[in-house]
């Protein structure tokens, strides 16, 4: 694993998470634990409205933290209620936190190769709807990372479990002096909460 990412995960304090939030996060841990116990693949689809910020940050951190805790057969995806593009500041924030990102297409919705470890397959990042053919069609948990997507998606076909894990949108600070700070803050919050989720698991 890239040293910078490993050191950052190690430094995250799960004690900063409120007890109320921990109770919510345990639902995700229980879903993953059941899959581990039954020796099944763990498919997590992180869903937000535009699949441009929070859902990508969650997808990337979940995949990296699963690797950090040596949890095998974890496959993380992301999607939206509509497709736009992965926002450049979300990608820049991940680069600053140690991920290697290479843009592998040049259109308005570029495809990104996101690596957290030299010898692991890269995460493929691009904006898509949650039911896009790239994403799992059955046997997955739908992790709702924004409240508007949670409210706007009353039914997600193929999902075994629907788990609300909503975060404030850093988009509110776009084009302000606080933009970089707020994206960093949100990425760290997401990573910290996912560290808690995976720290509860028993192999």
């Amino acid at each position: 694993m890239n040293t910078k990412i490993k050191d950052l995960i190690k430094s995250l304090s799960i004690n900063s998470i409120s007890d109320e939030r921990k109770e919510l996060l345990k639902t995700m841990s229980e879903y993953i634990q059941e899959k581990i116990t039954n020796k099944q693949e763990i498919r997590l689809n992180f869903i937000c409205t535009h699949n441009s910020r929070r859902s990508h940050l969650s997808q990337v951190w979940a995949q990296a933290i699963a690797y950090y805790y040596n949890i095998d057969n974890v496959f993380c995806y992301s999607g939206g209620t509509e497709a736009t593009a992965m926002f450049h500041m979300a990608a820049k924030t991940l680069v600053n936190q140690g991920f290697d990102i290479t843009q592998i297409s040049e259109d308005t919705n570029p495809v990104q190769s996101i690596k957290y470890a030299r010898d692991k397959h890269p995460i493929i990042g691009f904006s898509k709807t949650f039911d896009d053919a790239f994403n799992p069609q059955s046997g997955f948990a739908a992790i709702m990372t924004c409240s508007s997507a949670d409210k706007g998606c009353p039914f997600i076909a193929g999902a075994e479990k629907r788990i609300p894990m909503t975060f404030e949108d850093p988009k509110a600070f776009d084009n302000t002096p606080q933009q970089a700070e707020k994206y960093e803050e949100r990425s760290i919050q997401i990573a910290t909460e996912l560290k808690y989720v995976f720290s509860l698991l028993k192999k």
Side-chain angles (χ1 to χ4, degrees):
M1 176 171 247
N2 294 358
T3 303
K4 190 171 182 179
I5 301 171
K6 187 176 182 179
D7 290 346
L8 178 54
I9 295 170
K10 187 177 180 181
S11 73
L12 298 173
S13 173
I14 58 177
N15 293 328
S16 64
I17 306 169
S18 70
D19 290 342
E20 182 183 13
R21 189 73 172 174
K22 283 180 178 177
E23 282 303 311
L24 182 70
L25 296 169
K26 282 176 184 175
T27 306
M28 187 174 168
S29 290
E30 288 164 3
Y31 174 82
I32 297 171
Q33 186 64 62
E34 184 178 350
K35 293 291 183 182
I36 293 171
T37 303
N38 293 327
K39 296 181 169 53
Q40 296 174 316
E41 286 188 352
I42 302 151
R43 293 190 283 270
L44 308 173
N45 192 359
F46 293 90
I47 298 171
C48 205
T49 304
H50 298 116
N51 191 209
S52 57
R53 296 168 176 81
R54 291 164 287 178
S55 48
H56 275 115
L57 293 172
S58 299
Q59 174 193 5
V60 171
W61 275 117
Q63 196 70 63
I65 291 170
Y67 181 73
Y68 177 85
Y69 280 104
N70 297 308
I71 306 298
D72 299 325
N73 293 321
V74 176
F75 302 93
C76 298
Y77 304 84
S78 66
T81 53
E82 59 184 276
T84 54
M86 183 177 179
F87 191 62
H88 69 90
M89 198 65 206
K92 185 176 180 181
T93 300
L94 290 169
V95 169
N96 290 342
Q97 292 172 335
F99 293 87
D100 294 322
I101 300 184
T102 304
Q103 187 169 307
I104 55 179
S105 77
E106 296 292 338
D107 57 17
T108 55
N109 181 12
V111 179
Q112 316 273 3
S113 163
I114 306 166
K115 296 205 74 172
Y116 54 90
R118 183 178 297 173
D119 298 322
K120 295 299 290 181
H121 194 278
I123 299 160
I124 303 301
F126 67 99
S127 186
K128 69 202 85 64
T129 56
F130 64 83
D131 56 356
D132 188 271
F134 187 86
N135 288 342
Q137 304 300 303
S138 63
F140 65 93
I143 317 294
M144 313 306 290
T145 60
C146 75
S147 56
S148 59
D150 195 21
K151 291 170 187 170
C153 292
F155 176 72
I156 297 176
E160 294 179 317
K161 187 84 174 176
R162 182 192 182 108
I163 302 168
M165 186 183 173
T166 60
F167 300 98
E168 293 295 321
D169 194 352
K171 180 182 179 180
F173 296 92
D174 287 356
N175 304 311
T176 73
Q178 299 160 284
Q179 183 182 45
E181 174 193 346
K182 291 300 181 180
Y183 273 79
E184 171 95 6
E185 183 181 289
R186 190 61 62 243
S187 184
I188 291 294
Q189 180 196 1
I190 288 169
T192 302
E193 296 195 358
L194 287 166
K195 178 180 179 178
Y196 177 72
V197 167
F198 282 93
S199 73
L200 298 176
L201 303 174
K202 295 178 175 61
K203 294 182 69 178

